């Protein structure tokens, strides 16, 4: 079947089972856009900014496990998308980005809207391609999807010159992929499993430290089985929330910069850290000097480059988290008679003392809305079942601390890059993937303005997400750092001349609410979620100087936390 390169692009996406492509047209991509117009199998979603396209594809991918797909034009189209590509790269999210490029004979001659897409994206993609011939399109797209979704997932860029999308070739979509230089994921060996289980069965102060890799591998059932069989305390990273359910007695909360006192102290005092799909990043470890000084480290990860990168492991198992945990569970079951709860009895007593600090405590108010209170009420109103996206800042941490996630793929946030503007477009992608589910975007008055134009996309496609704007009139996390580390010199962290968010939402055709009293919080949330066919922008006027506690400050160890000073 002879097709143009543009038609081959679209047919290849169809062959991959792609439902949605998030994008924005431009000259270099117009042949592809014309091909979209001639078919009905793959739906193109017109965003209002290329960054919004990448975040929407990202939200779709995080909530489904399927790769998100993006289409942008050359020049500013691809540069606008770089932030979203880097966001996906840092959090290992599968994504395929198709970018238009100037005609092949013009590459390197500073043509209109020419940019070296391969060069500028290289540091923040898993791989990238520049198509050289129309006959390479189908095979390259097949490779892109394979690379994006296998091993440690990540974004892959395919840059396509405009003239090649007009050339004609026979369309044959490959059924298999053979990339000689792309290694398969190693399989855990029986000896490794045996050594790991031996360490586990003899631990007196163990902790299971589960990260985003558990979520990406859909290994939550295997993780929960292991933790419950062993009776070990379990903590999740920001990216791993939901891997082990909030509220379970073995769950000791999120750890890290704004994690619970008990999780961070347990990590520091442990004699065995079982790290699964986590990378010991700086937000977890604090300063590396003195990190978990008495702990043996069992590190399980699919990416060999993560092992020993920040913290040296004593036992390393490279492999898919789900497969490795299955093997560990089988060996633990075989040696079940050797599990001795008495070994960890004193450890649990110590953890109970740390839990007694109630490090997430905050003082309720009848006169001013506390942001934590809004998140707690959101959990109650949604039954803890909503998909929750967030932007980045204090509101992100309050969401992580107080929503209480019990399922994977429902907490959608930018962890590694920390991208303001992520929340609203990510919520759009989630809503496309799960049209009947409650989707809430927890944001702040600073973050929401980064990609607020996507309210137009929400109106065009009737996406009834609920925006929870925790409005403290500050760049809250910046202000908090300035309070703690810069003697309250609030340089450029105050948000002056804010829009009337209610009127702004209404101007886009949505419902706007302004909530100023704690007594109105629950009722407003119930009213908003009852409007199942409307986007509701809820502007909560919150305590201006509320801080996130606990907090590990710069230069401190992970056990040196600043706790709320006025805790009674």
């Amino acid at each position: 079947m002879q097709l143009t390169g543009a038609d081959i692009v679209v047919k290849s996406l169809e062959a991959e089972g792609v439902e949605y492509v998030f994008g924005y047209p431009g000259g270099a991509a117009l042949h592809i856009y014309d091909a979209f117009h001639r078919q009905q199998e793959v739906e193109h979603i017109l965003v209002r900014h290329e960054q919004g396209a990448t975040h929407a594809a990202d939200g779709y991918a995080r909530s489904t496990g399927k790769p998100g797909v993006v289409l942008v034009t050359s020049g500013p189209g691809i540069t606008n998308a770089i932030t979203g590509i880097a966001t996906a790269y840092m959090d290992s999210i599968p994504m395929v980005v198709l970018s238009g490029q100037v005609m092949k004979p013009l590459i390197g001659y500073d043509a209109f809207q020419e940019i070296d897409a391969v060069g500028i994206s290289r540091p923040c993609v898993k791989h990238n391609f520049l198509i050289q011939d129309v006959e390479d399109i189908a095979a390259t797209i097949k490779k892109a999807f394979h690379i994006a979704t296998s091993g440690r997932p990540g974004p892959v860029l395919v840059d396509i010159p405009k003239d090649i999308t007009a050339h004609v070739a026979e369309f044959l979509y490959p059924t298999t992929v053979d990339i000689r230089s792309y290694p398969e994921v190693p399989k855990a060996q029986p000896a490794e499993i045996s050594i790991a289980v031996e360490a586990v069965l003899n631990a007196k102060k163990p902790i299971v430290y589960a990260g985003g890799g558990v979520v990406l591998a859909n290994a939550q059932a295997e993780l929960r089985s292991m933790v419950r069989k062993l009776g070990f305390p379990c903590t999740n990273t920001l990216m791993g929330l939901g891997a082990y359910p909030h509220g379970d007695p073995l769950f000791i909360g999120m750890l890290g910069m704004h994690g619970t006192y008990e999780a961070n102290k347990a990590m520091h005092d442990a004699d065995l850290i079982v790290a699964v799909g986590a990378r010991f990043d700086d937000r977890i470890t604090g300063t590396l000097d003195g990190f978990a000084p008495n702990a043996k480290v069992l590190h399980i990860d699919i990416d060999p480059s993560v092992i020993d990168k920040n913290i040296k492991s004593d036992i390393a198992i490279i492999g898919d988290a789900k497969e490795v945990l299955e093997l560990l569970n089988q060996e633990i079951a075989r040696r079940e008679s050797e599990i001795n709860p008495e070994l960890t009895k004193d450890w649990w007593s110590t953890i109970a003392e740390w839990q007694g600090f109630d490090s997430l405590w905050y003082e309720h108010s009848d006169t001013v809305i506390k942001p934590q209170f809004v998140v707690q009420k959101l959990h109650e109103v949604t039954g803890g079942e909503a998909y929750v996206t967030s932007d980045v800042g204090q509101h992100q941490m309050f969401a992580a601390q107080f929503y209480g996630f019990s399922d994977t793929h429902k907490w959608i946030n930018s962890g590694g890059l920390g991208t303001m503007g992520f929340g609203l477009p990510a919520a759009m992608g989630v809503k496309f993937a799960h049209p009947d589910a409650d989707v809430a975007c927890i944001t702040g008055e600073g973050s929401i303005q980064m990609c607020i134009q996507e309210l137009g996309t929400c109106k065009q496609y009737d996406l009834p997400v609920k925006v929870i704007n925790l409005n403290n009139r500050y760049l809250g996390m910046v202000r908090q750092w300035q309070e703690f580390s810069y003697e309250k010199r609030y340089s450029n962290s105050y948000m002056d001349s804010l829009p009337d968010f209610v009127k702004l939402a209404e101007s886009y055709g949505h419902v706007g609410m302004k909530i100023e009293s704690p007594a109105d919080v629950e009722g407003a949330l119930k009213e908003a979620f009852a409007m199942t066919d409307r986007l509701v922008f809820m502007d909560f006027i919150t305590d201006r100087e509320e801080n996130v506690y606990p907090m590990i400050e710069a230069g401190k160890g992970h056990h040196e936390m600043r706790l709320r000073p006025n805790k009674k």
Side-chain angles (χ1 to χ4, degrees):
M1 183 167 53
Q2 294 286 318
L3 297 175
T4 66
D7 287 317
I8 290 173
V9 169
V10 176
K11 284 289 185 183
S12 297
L13 298 179
E14 181 183 339
E16 285 290 338
V18 173
E19 298 175 283
Y20 300 105
V21 173
F22 301 91
Y24 201 93
L30 283 185
H31 291 331
I32 301 174
Y33 272 90
D34 192 52
F36 269 108
H37 187 72
R38 298 194 300 272
Q39 60 85 49
Q40 297 180 336
E41 298 301 319
V42 182
E43 185 175 0
H44 180 277
I45 305 301
L46 177 64
V47 298
R48 299 303 184 263
H49 191 282
E50 290 89 353
Q51 183 177 340
T54 53
H55 293 333
D58 188 320
Y60 174 90
R62 291 181 199 238
S63 67
T64 63
K66 302 175 184 177
V69 183
V70 176
L71 173 60
V72 297
T73 192
S74 63
I78 186 61
T79 58
N80 284 345
I82 287 294
T83 297
I85 295 171
T87 300
Y89 179 74
M90 287 290 285
D91 291 343
S92 303
I93 305 304
M95 182 185 295
V96 174
V97 180
L98 307 174
S99 57
Q101 183 56 274
V102 301
M103 291 189 295
K104 189 177 175 182
L106 298 179
I107 293 176
Y109 290 90
D110 295 330
F112 175 68
Q113 290 193 335
E114 180 188 358
I115 197 76
D116 180 5
V118 168
I120 64 171
S121 66
R122 185 172 288 118
C124 59
V125 293
K126 192 174 178 185
H127 195 63
N128 54 25
F129 299 91
L130 173 63
I131 299 291
Q132 300 285 349
D133 191 288
V134 65
E135 294 184 353
D136 297 333
I137 292 176
T140 302
I141 290 178
K142 181 69 175 181
K143 290 177 182 178
F145 275 92
H146 177 70
I147 294 170
T149 57
S150 58
R152 182 179 182 178
V156 177
L157 172 75
V158 181
D159 198 35
I160 314 175
K162 184 175 182 178
D163 54 327
I164 288 178
T165 61
H167 296 170
V168 175
E170 185 177 4
F171 175 63
L172 292 171
Y173 198 69
T175 57
T176 60
V177 173
D178 181 19
I179 307 174
R180 186 176 58 182
S181 59
Y182 187 64
E184 294 184 359
V185 177
K187 301 293 183 182
Q189 299 302 308
E192 295 175 323
I193 298 298
S194 179
I195 292 170
V197 172
E198 184 69 23
V200 163
L201 293 176
N202 287 284
K204 295 179 180 179
K205 296 181 177 181
I207 184 170
V208 177
Y209 155 50
V214 175
V215 177
L216 292 168
N218 291 309
Q220 60 273 13
E222 290 76 15
L223 174 75
R224 297 174 186 190
S225 177
M226 182 184 74
V227 170
R228 287 166 180 160
K229 178 68 72 175
L230 295 170
F232 285 2
C234 183
T235 181
N236 289 160
T237 66
L238 178 70
M239 298 306 302
L241 289 177
Y244 200 84
H246 173 86
D248 187 286
L250 300 180
F251 185 61
I252 58 174
M254 180 179 75
L255 84 167
M257 177 171 281
H258 296 292
T260 65
Y261 183 72
E262 54 267 30
N264 285 326
K265 289 288 286 182
M267 182 76 107
H268 182 262
D269 285 8
D271 66 2
L272 176 67
I273 297 172
V274 182
V276 188
R279 55 191 174 90
F280 291 97
D281 70 285
D282 62 295
R283 287 304 198 252
I284 296 298
T285 65
T287 56
L288 292 176
D289 291 341
F291 174 80
N294 302 311
K296 179 179 289 188
V297 175
L298 163 57
H299 198 173
I300 301 165
D301 205 280
I302 200 168
D303 184 357
S305 72
V306 169
I307 305 296
D308 297 334
K309 185 174 186 178
N310 296 325
I311 298 296
K312 182 172 175 54
S313 60
D314 297 279
I315 306 167
I317 302 178
I318 301 169
D320 178 84
K322 188 179 185 71
E323 295 178 3
V324 174
L325 288 173
E326 283 178 350
L327 293 172
L328 287 174
N329 282 329
Q330 291 170 13
E331 182 66 7
I332 290 168
R334 190 181 70 81
R335 301 177 63 176
E336 185 172 359
S337 62
E338 299 177 50
I339 298 174
N340 182 7
E342 289 296 316
L343 283 178
T344 57
K345 186 176 180 180
D346 290 343
W347 181 229
W348 272 112
S349 295
T350 301
I351 290 173
E353 292 179 11
W354 291 329
Q355 290 173 322
F357 279 89
D358 192 12
S359 60
L360 298 184
W361 177 90
Y362 67 95
E363 188 171 4
H364 290 273
S365 172
D366 294 328
T367 57
V368 63
I369 297 174
K370 296 289 185 175
Q372 304 96 317
F373 178 69
V374 177
V375 178
Q376 287 176 315
K377 286 299 178 182
L378 176 65
H379 181 276
E380 290 179 18
V381 169
T382 61
E385 295 297 324
Y387 288 86
V388 178
T389 72
S390 83
D391 278 294
V392 171
Q394 286 184 321
H395 58 270
Q396 177 190 26
M397 294 300 107
F398 290 135
Q401 290 176 334
F402 289 96
Y403 189 79
F405 295 93
S406 294
D407 295 315
T408 55
H409 301 290
K410 288 194 170 181
W411 170 231
I412 315 292
N413 83 117
S414 170
L417 196 65
T419 307
M420 295 174 70
F422 175 84
L424 179 59
M428 296 179 345
V430 174
K431 196 64 180 176
F432 276 111
H434 307 279
D436 298 326
D438 287 332
V439 179
C441 168
I442 297 179
T443 186
E445 77 288 343
S447 284
I448 191 64
Q449 293 186 84
M450 292 281 186
C451 285
I452 201 165
Q453 67 273 15
E454 297 307 332
L455 287 173
T457 308
C458 292
K459 182 60 179 177
Q460 179 172 343
Y461 295 97
D462 295 320
L463 302 174
V465 303
K466 306 298 182 277
V467 179
I468 315 297
N469 187 37
L470 302 181
N471 185 347
N472 63 8
R473 288 80 73 206
Y474 273 112
L475 299 177
M477 192 59 82
V478 174
R479 182 206 56 75
Q480 179 170 335
W481 278 70
Q482 289 173 336
E483 177 185 337
F484 291 171
S485 303
Y486 297 89
E487 298 178 338
K488 297 186 177 181
R489 293 188 296 273
Y490 299 138
S491 175
N492 292 283
S493 55
Y494 171 63
M495 293 295 288
D496 203 356
S497 301
L498 287 171
D500 183 327
F501 287 110
V502 172
K503 290 182 179 178
L504 183 58
E506 290 174 348
S507 74
Y508 276 100
H510 303 304
V511 176
M513 294 182 180
K514 186 175 184 179
I515 304 95
E516 299 181 89
S517 170
D520 297 331
V521 169
E522 183 175 354
L525 285 166
K526 287 181 177 178
E527 181 181 352
F529 280 92
M531 289 185 263
T532 56
D533 61 343
R534 299 294 301 276
L535 183 148
V536 183
F537 192 112
M538 310 183 72
D539 190 22
F540 290 94
I541 308 304
T542 63
D543 187 339
R544 298 195 64 203
E545 296 186 351
E546 183 65 35
N547 289 325
V548 183
Y549 294 100
M551 180 179 177
I552 302 171
E553 297 180 71
K556 298 291 185 180
H558 67 137
H559 62 300
E560 299 175 300
M561 288 156 279
R562 180 191 282 248
L563 301 177
R564 185 174 294 277
N566 59 338
K567 184 179 183 299
K568 295 179 181 178

